[in-house]
């Protein structure tokens, strides 16, 4: 893999992959034909990869969803759309760099795209506030979505966020109200809205751009009411028990599909999206293009009606 | 109504817990409330001034300290009695019960305990009633039931109440008290209740029906970031803790001392979230005035 970030459960595989690379280099340097020695090792690596990645625990998948090399919003946009043109600002307070939005072409169709942007290194992370939006980020997203509705453009929302930023200024400027308003307004926008959780779906901060006609999740993404660490520290007063909380919260894509919260799971390359961002993006694109083809045929008022019925079904309860 | 019925709860003791480490990425939702102040017994100590008050006097004063005006937390039944014309409340959707969709550790036991201790089936009562003779739809949350957190049943009851008001064109008042936010034990299904209730309010708004939101101590997290902050008019009770992320999580994230009065009712008024802070004594008459301004109950 050689990207410098090895997850604990991948160690054996990464070591084997390194060994294969070394052998290949050695063979090349010395001009030797070592294909016979290398082939079984490569087969073993493939087997090992399948073994490891087909039996991942919820917590291990969280680590994949949080992988520092996981493709970010702008990376995915560059693969999926053509001619992305960023638009800035909430027209009220400032431009929030944690939330990015703009116009783009999706195979000949103009769309509005929004999503949180995590940084790929410390410097960018500081500039982007680790992709944690302030209220003005959510308000920028809403402005761009309402603009999309005005001009009849479909909306594509990518979600990858730990949560709405927990800070003094965020509270002063109405973080809760900004989220609530987005939920209400997104529910009545008369254009197709497709949301994809590409990494972390952190609570209200993720939901705030996640109301729509279709919601998909990448295979290892998670979508939760609370972070596993937060849940563990409340339940067991011990944040290190996050792996157990990750199990209890049932927040993996398969769980959410069973609860009727999402419409489909988008497969990732073996080992996670970071192992092949282009393939990941192609999988996302195939899904949203197919969904959009269906949705653009539906009149706006019917979209809104069906969107409400969709939300209306969510929840599990009994009667006395 | 005898006091015993109002507060059929066992005595509660306050325990000071050591601060938990900041959950990395653990924003919003659940935080333990520092205090459970359910007046009980003959005498009650005021959380504001420390004065010991004869409980009967406190009840007569709407559970507001006669000395310092500290507003005690009150349950849903007491709130309904204070707000509505006597005997006019008629509960709706009372048969909804929470289940345990995730098989979450201890959730069924916690629900059972909350039901026994609060005498309620869930963290909200919804229904119809009259206020100064004006018919309305009313929802009242109860912070004593699992910290007033919102799971599937709370979300469903709120949504059905909104839909009921939409059908009957009754004005809507919801008194929020949700220190727990979205209920962790029902996972993402609790989160979805934020979207469901907000979407229902979108329809109510398009129909031009008035929604008054009353925020009481404490209203946080997923309740705050959905129906509680979407009122056409937002009223706060004095001295309430109101916000999205709990103060402890913010403090642990930014590692700075929070300014005094942070996330108080006054803070929310000054920062433009709330329309007004209203003393409990004036709450009923203020809501009546607002309803009349919107031509409910024949105006004037
Ligand atoms: Zn007092």
């Amino acid at each position: 893999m050689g990207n410098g970030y090895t997850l604990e459960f991948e160690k054996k595989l990464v070591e084997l992959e390194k060994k294969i690379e070394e052998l290949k280099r050695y063979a090349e340097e010395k001009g030797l034909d070592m294909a016979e020695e290398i082939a079984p090792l490569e087969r073993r690596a493939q087997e090992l990869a399948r073994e490891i990645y087909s039996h991942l625990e919820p917590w291990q998948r969280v680590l994949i969803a949080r992988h520092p090399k996981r493709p970010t919003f702008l990376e995915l946009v560059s693969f999926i759309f053509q001619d992305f043109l960023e638009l800035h600002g909430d027209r009220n307070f400032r431009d929030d760099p944690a939330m990015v939005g703009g116009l783009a072409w999706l195979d000949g169709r103009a769309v509005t795209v929004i999503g949180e942007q995590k940084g790929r290194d410390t410097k960018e992370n500081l500039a982007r506030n680790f992709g944690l939006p302030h209220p003005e980020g959510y308000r920028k997203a809403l402005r761009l979505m309402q603009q999309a509705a005005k001009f009849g453009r479909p909306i594509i929302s990518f979600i990858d966020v730990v949560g709405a930023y927990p800070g003094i200024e965020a509270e002063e400027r109405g973080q809760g109200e900004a989220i609530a308003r987005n939920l209400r307004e997104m529910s009545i926008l008369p254009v197709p809205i497709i949301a994809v959780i590409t990494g972390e779906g952190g609570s209200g901060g993720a939901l705030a751009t996640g109301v729509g006609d279709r919601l998909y999740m990448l295979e290892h993404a998670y979508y939760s009411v609370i972070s596993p660490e937060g849940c563990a520290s409340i339940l067991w007063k011990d944040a290190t028990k996050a792996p157990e909380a990750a199990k209890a919260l049932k927040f993996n894509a398969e769980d959410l599909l069973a609860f009727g919260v999402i419409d489909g799971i988008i497969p990732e390359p073996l080992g996670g999206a970071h192992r092949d961002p282009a393939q990941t993006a192609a999988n996302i694109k195939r899904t949203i293009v197919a969904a959009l083809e269906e949705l653009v045929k539906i009149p706006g008022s019917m979209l809104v009606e069906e969107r409400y019925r969709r939300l209306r079904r969510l929840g599990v309860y009994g009667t006395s | 109504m005898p006091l015993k019925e109002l507060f059929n709860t066992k005595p509660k003791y306050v325990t000071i817990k050591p601060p938990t480490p900041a959950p990395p990425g653990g924003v919003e939702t659940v935080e333990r409330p520092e205090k459970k102040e359910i007046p009980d017994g003959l005498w009650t100590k005021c959380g504001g001034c420390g004065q010991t008050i004869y409980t009967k006097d406190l009840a007569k004063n709407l559970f507001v300290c006669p000395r310092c005006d500290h507003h005690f937390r009150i349950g849903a039944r007491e709130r309904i009695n204070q707000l509505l014309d006597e005997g006019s409340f008629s509960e709706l959707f009372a048969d909804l019960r929470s289940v345990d969709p995730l098989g979450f550790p201890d959730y069924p036991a916690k629900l059972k305990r909350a039901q026994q201790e609060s005498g309620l089936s869930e963290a909200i009562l919804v229904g119809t009633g009259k206020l100064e003779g004006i018919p309305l739809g009313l929802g009242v949350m109860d912070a004593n039931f699992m910290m007033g957190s919102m799971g599937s049943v709370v979300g469903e009851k709120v949504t059905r109440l909104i839909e009921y008001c939409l059908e009957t064109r009754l004005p809507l008042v919801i008194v929020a008290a949700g220190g727990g936010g979205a209920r962790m034990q029902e996972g993402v299904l609790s989160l979805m209740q934020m979207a469901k209730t907000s979407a229902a309010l979108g329809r109510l708004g398009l129909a031009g029906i008035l929604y008054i939101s009353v925020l009481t101590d404490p209203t946080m997290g997923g309740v705050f970031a959905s129906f509680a902050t979407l009122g056409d008019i937002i009223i706060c009770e004095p001295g309430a803790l109101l916000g999205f992320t709990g103060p402890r999580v913010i403090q642990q994230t930014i590692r700075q001392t929070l300014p005094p009065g942070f996330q108080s009712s006054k803070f929310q008024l000054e920062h433009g979230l709330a329309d007004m802070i209203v003393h409990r004594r004036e709450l009923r008459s203020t809501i009546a005035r607002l309803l009349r301004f919107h031509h409910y109950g024949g105006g004037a």
Side-chain angles (χ1 to χ4, degrees), chain B residues 42-82:
Chain B
L42 218 49
W43 297 91
T44 304
K45 197 174 176 196
C46 174
C49 63
Q51 177 102 336
T52 307
I53 312 157
Y54 193 42
T55 306
K56 269 189 184 158
D57 289 343
L58 192 60
K60 252 186 262 168
N61 205 37
L62 306 174
F63 293 97
V64 176
C65 174
R67 199 172 110 159
C68 74
D69 259 350
H70 171 68
H71 283 52
F72 284 72
R73 290 181 188 171
I74 56 173
R77 293 220 168 86
E78 169 66 13
R79 177 74 66 182
I80 289 167
N81 288 340
Q82 289 188 11

